[in-house]
Amino acid sequence: AMHEGHVVSAQELTELLQPLFTQKSRNLILFLQDRLSIDDFTYFGESYGNKNPFQNEILQSSPSSLVLPAVDCKATKYLLSILQESRDWKLTNVTDLNVSQLEVNASNPNLLVVQLQPLTGGLKEISTLEAIAENDKVIGRVTMDLQERGIHFSVIYTAVRPSRVSRRTEVVTELRRQLMAAEEEDSLSYPPLNVTTGNLTCILFYASNFSLKAKSSVLIDLTNATFVTQNVDISASECSDSNTTLSLKYSKPVDGISSLEIRFLMTNKFYGGSARKWSTLDSVEIVQDGENFAKFNVSAVSAPAEYSFHCQLVGTNNLYPARLVPSNNEAKNWDVFISELQIQGFNIINNQFSYASDCTGFFTPGIWMGLVTSIILLWILTYGIHMIMQLTTNNRFDDPKGPALSVPQTE
């Protein structure tokens, strides 16, 4: 039993998972999602009535179960390594969610890691609901398939980071800016990817969600492979004072693709108009299986050379603040989605991101709406005051005892 507000640490999680390593069941399934919180089960289950995305009853049908409402992000980050060190498992990464051809040798201990579909960036809750429902179906297909084969197994369903972060209620004398800075620092559930030359870091790259979709059908989630397990080859990356290339090579990210390379090309130039150097992300290139080459031109990704660049949404969607525009026909077959992107390719100090130049301008749509509304109201007020000032009083009055007052029409 966990008391309210308790967050399970990495050591506590290891101790709680010990029964998994000593029981007769020698098969373990890890369903890994990009973000999930205990509140999601009640929020999406009760708010949408018949559209409850959680239809599986595996938790209720299990002879024993354990629910941990809050687990430290650092613990979930090292969960896979903890499981691998606990026993000599046969590790199988299930990226193709078609489980009909899933081979499991029950005579040996098996660890199946199922990468679930990432949730959307929060633009529409209905999209999140559909993604959770699809993941629930995947969990049902995998577990039912193993049950029909008579294979005993244990299941862990967790995520890399929480989907809902509670506001801190600490001492009110602390500055609000400091509290927000602390929350943002804690939200980084894994460190950024760094590229070094010698003992110096020349590239830093971070994203909370890094996903691709090939031909609008094959989803490739690279978040875990890039930042958590770091199962990515960055040896082809290049750094210099004027040009930097971040090369990310993946081996068999999904079935049907043997190799995938993604390149971020950045330049550092001096611009006379601002009398300073600016670093810009000029293009993004995708090379599939060493043959299919897709190139995207990048818009609105630039920052002073001493700063890093940050943007909430970067991708091929027209609604994103920073867009990747296809520049050849092959690029039209790819959809790119990067959330909470932060990248820096020049002037890195102490292996940390510098001050971030955000893609959101100072005059946001909300600010413009407020300004326009204020101007209209101010104009109405000015016009009303002007009309009141034009009012005049009578300078002649009719005497009831005398003759009637005659006022010529010319007056």
Side-chain angles (χ1 to χ4, degrees), residues 367-380:
I367 294 177
W368 278 116
M369 291 175 63
L371 287 175
V372 172
T373 304
S374 300
I375 291 174
I376 294 176
L377 294 176
L378 183 61
W379 180 82
I380 295 174

Side-chain angles (χ1 to χ4, degrees), residues 29 31 55-58 61 99-100 102 136-153 155:
I29 309 175
F31 292 102
Q55 299 293 335
N56 281 316
E57 298 181 355
I58 184 171
S61 61
V99 298
S100 59
L102 183 62
D136 187 73
K137 294 178 182 178
V138 172
I139 295 175
R141 289 200 301 266
V142 175
T143 54
M144 289 297 297
D145 180 75
L146 296 179
Q147 286 178 349
E148 292 175 355
R149 301 186 198 180
I151 299 175
H152 298 282
F153 58 89
V155 173

